[in-house]
Amino acid sequence: MREALVAAAFELFLDRGFEQTTIDDIVSLAGVGRRSFFRYFPAKEDVVFPDHERSLAEMTEFLDSGTGEEDPVKYACAAARLVLRMYAEQPSFSVQRYRLTRKVPGLRAYELSVVWRYEHTLAAYLRGRFADRPDGPLRADVIAAAVVAAHNHALRTWLRSGGESDWVAEVDAAMAFVTSTWNDRPADSAPDGEDAADDVVVLVASRRAPLWRMVQGIESALGDTHRV
């Protein structure tokens, strides 16, 4: 039902325009009643961003699952990667939404409120990690803003390419810039002995386990000097 409402809404938005489409139009095309619409979406704007609540919940869970031993800046960047991966899972939908949002001022304002929630979540995590520093709150807020800005730069670059560019390379470059700028830990040294490329890790996980948890398990097994 939720997916049917989103599909109907975007068909109408692209055909008629966002402002000219009413909730009655959406439910009529989807073949449901108004009550069904409001069961899933509080307002018309929410149907344009149907996946951000799930993405925000996954980011929060990821940050909460940290051991406290991981590098806080790198970990915040890893959390931001989850959001771009969410966009990349549905490239056509993400590109359509980007183009629609550029045309509708109300949607741009709504999008800014969503971005603020991600930044607030990252800042809360970083404040906890920097609690023992005199500049902890300031440092947390500034780094959270930097992570979000770098993520959005990578996201917009990918969206402007029509979803054709390498989003992994885009976000890796953006996050590397943040970590090199704000990480005050010594650079990781190369592992002794055999080349790390020879390491073999076997991961056993439930089919329902989210991808980020499996990646976290691999990184934990390899150590902090390896990022997946």
Side-chain angles (χ1 to χ4, degrees):
M1 179 73 70
R2 192 171 185 273
E3 292 176 359
L5 286 165
V6 172
F10 264 81
E11 181 178 338
L12 292 168
F13 294 158
L14 295 173
D15 181 45
R16 303 180 183 178
F18 179 81
E19 300 292 355
Q20 290 71 34
T21 300
T22 67
I23 291 175
D24 286 334
D25 294 332
I26 296 170
V27 298
S28 177
L29 182 59
V32 300
R34 286 176 62 90
R35 184 176 299 178
S36 296
F37 181 92
F38 290 111
R39 184 179 300 131
Y40 294 98
F41 304 107
K44 189 172 65 170
E45 289 77 10
D46 293 285
V47 79
V48 181
F49 304 93
D51 37 21
H52 279 296
E53 289 300 329
R54 172 179 61 85
S55 180
L56 187 63
E58 287 184 355
M59 173 188 277
T60 302
E61 183 182 359
F62 177 79
L63 293 171
D64 289 346
S65 70
T67 63
E69 298 299 320
E70 64 279 345
D71 181 279
V73 180
K74 289 183 178 180
Y75 205 64
C77 288
R81 281 187 177 88
L82 298 176
V83 183
L84 212 157
R85 183 179 292 120
M86 176 268 291
Y87 279 90
E89 286 174 351
Q90 301 183 73
S92 178
F93 176 76
S94 296
V95 171
Q96 285 183 346
R97 172 168 57 191
Y98 172 72
R99 292 171 178 168
L100 177 65
T101 303
R102 296 309 91 194
K103 297 177 181 177
V104 183
L107 290 180
R108 290 202 295 273
Y110 185 96
E111 187 178 43
L112 287 174
S113 71
V114 173
V115 170
W116 180 86
R117 294 177 66 191
Y118 285 117
E119 184 176 328
H120 179 76
T121 300
L122 290 170
Y125 162 75
L126 291 168
R127 280 172 177 258
R129 294 300 308 278
F130 297 142
D132 59 341
R133 299 179 59 128
D135 64 347
L138 174 62
R139 188 176 185 83
D141 289 350
V142 171
I143 293 175
V147 171
V148 169
H151 167 274
N152 288 346
H153 173 81
L155 174 60
R156 285 192 296 269
T157 301
W158 177 73
L159 289 170
R160 287 167 182 163
S161 76
E164 297 295 329
S165 67
D166 185 347
W167 71 269
V168 175
E170 299 287 359
V171 74
D172 282 352
M175 295 302 109
F177 178 80
V178 174
T179 55
S180 65
T181 302
W182 291 104
N183 193 337
D184 56 5
R185 290 189 178 186
D188 294 326
S189 58
D192 296 330
E194 296 183 352
D195 191 326
D198 293 331
D199 290 348
V200 176
V201 175
V202 177
L203 177 69
V204 179
S206 165
R207 284 178 179 272
R208 291 191 292 269
L211 180 60
W212 67 261
R213 189 176 292 281
M214 290 187 278
V215 171
Q216 188 181 50
I218 294 171
E219 289 178 345
S220 177
L222 290 175
D224 226 10
T225 59
H226 296 73
R227 304 302 296 175
V228 177

